[in-house]
Amino acid sequence: MLLGTNGSGKSTLLRLLARLLTPHSGQVELIQPVGFVFQNPDHQLVMPTVGADVAFGLVSEHLSLVQVRQRVSEALSAVNLLPLQNRPIYTLSGGQKQRIAIAGAIARHCQVLLLDEPTALLDPDSQRELVANVRRLVKSRGLTALWVTHRLEELSFCDGAFLLEQGRVVDQGNPERLRQQLLKNQPVT
Ligand SMILES: Nc1ncnc2c1ncn2[C@@H]1O[C@H](COP(=O)(O)OP(=O)(O)OP(=O)(O)O)[C@@H](O)[C@H]1O
Ligand SMILES: [Mg+2]
């Protein structure tokens, strides 16, 4: 999990890891391809229907139609959205769109998922559902998920946490310790 105030560099770090940005110095070593889930799923779902959107990421893989269909069904099942395969994207809720974006990464067999504030727009039920979904994928498929959030309660669900300040990691380690630390530093209102 990746935490830090607005402008501390969380999204920039994710973009560097996804090779959407090139570092001025140093280098990035990461298993490619990585799946990127944007904070606003409207910025990344590009096709008219759910199935077509998940298949869209596979165009460069030279698969047969049967293989594409199989990957799409497998990925949609992984996020519990197979019944929505033929639904137009505009009919989906925010939480469902986030899960379609995750399905796109699963279909490409990404081993690393980068999620930029995926729960920022979600209500508490959808938040819990998305956290549970990603945790299940991490366990069942051995995925690594790097999750950016401002919601401290989500720290209870991760294995490790990093705190960024002005582009640098200023704290890292046990999520519960970090949660207590951040709660202590919050001003009392
Ligand atoms: N393309 C860019 N060109 C110049 N400066 C940028 C660019 N992208 C980000 N920055 C700056 O880099 C800093 C880190 O931005 P970044 O988007 O990574 O922050 P963040 O931690 O994701 O913040 P938030 O919680 O608001 O999403 C900010 O000061 C931002 O203005
Ligand atoms: Mg950001």
Side-chain angles (χ1 to χ4, degrees), residues 42 48-50 84 86-94 96-97:
D42 288 330
T49 66
V50 167
L84 300 192
N86 297 316
R87 278 272 291 273
I89 294 286
Y90 71 85
T91 64
L92 302 178
S93 74
Q96 287 168 336
K97 286 182 189 169

Side-chain angles (χ1 to χ4, degrees), residues 3-129:
L3 301 129
T5 50
N6 293 139
S8 57
K10 305 178 297 297
S11 297
T12 303
L13 179 58
L14 255 51
R15 288 190 198 111
L16 284 165
L17 292 173
R19 306 242 163 103
L20 299 173
L21 288 175
T22 312
H24 288 296
S25 61
Q27 59 184 31
V28 175
E29 280 182 35
L30 197 67
I31 304 165
Q32 300 284 337
V34 301
F36 202 125
V37 179
F38 292 114
Q39 177 177 338
N40 185 344
D42 288 330
H43 292 166
Q44 79 182 121
L45 302 184
V46 291
M47 298 298 280
T49 66
V50 167
D53 197 87
V54 176
F56 180 73
L58 300 172
V59 282
S60 59
E61 296 201 22
H62 308 294
L63 301 171
S64 70
L65 192 58
V66 173
Q67 286 171 315
V68 169
R69 285 202 178 124
Q70 197 179 340
R71 292 259 202 121
V72 170
S73 327
E74 182 198 57
L76 285 172
S77 305
V79 295
N80 297 331
L81 286 182
L82 190 56
L84 300 192
Q85 182 155 4
N86 297 316
R87 278 272 291 273
I89 294 286
Y90 71 85
T91 64
L92 302 178
S93 74
Q96 287 168 336
K97 286 182 189 169
Q98 302 281 25
R99 278 150 65 194
I100 301 299
I102 294 172
I106 303 284
R108 289 188 293 122
H109 288 174
C110 295
Q111 282 304 297
V112 179
L113 259 187
L114 306 173
L115 304 115
D116 198 352
E117 299 191 43
T119 53
L121 303 174
L122 303 185
D123 66 35
D125 279 350
S126 307
Q127 176 197 21
R128 272 192 292 277
E129 199 177 83

Side-chain angles (χ1 to χ4, degrees), residues 31 110-112 135-145:
I31 304 165
C110 295
Q111 282 304 297
V112 179
R135 272 174 65 80
R136 197 164 46 73
L137 291 170
V138 164
K139 285 212 165 81
S140 65
R141 297 181 169 243
L143 286 184
T144 300

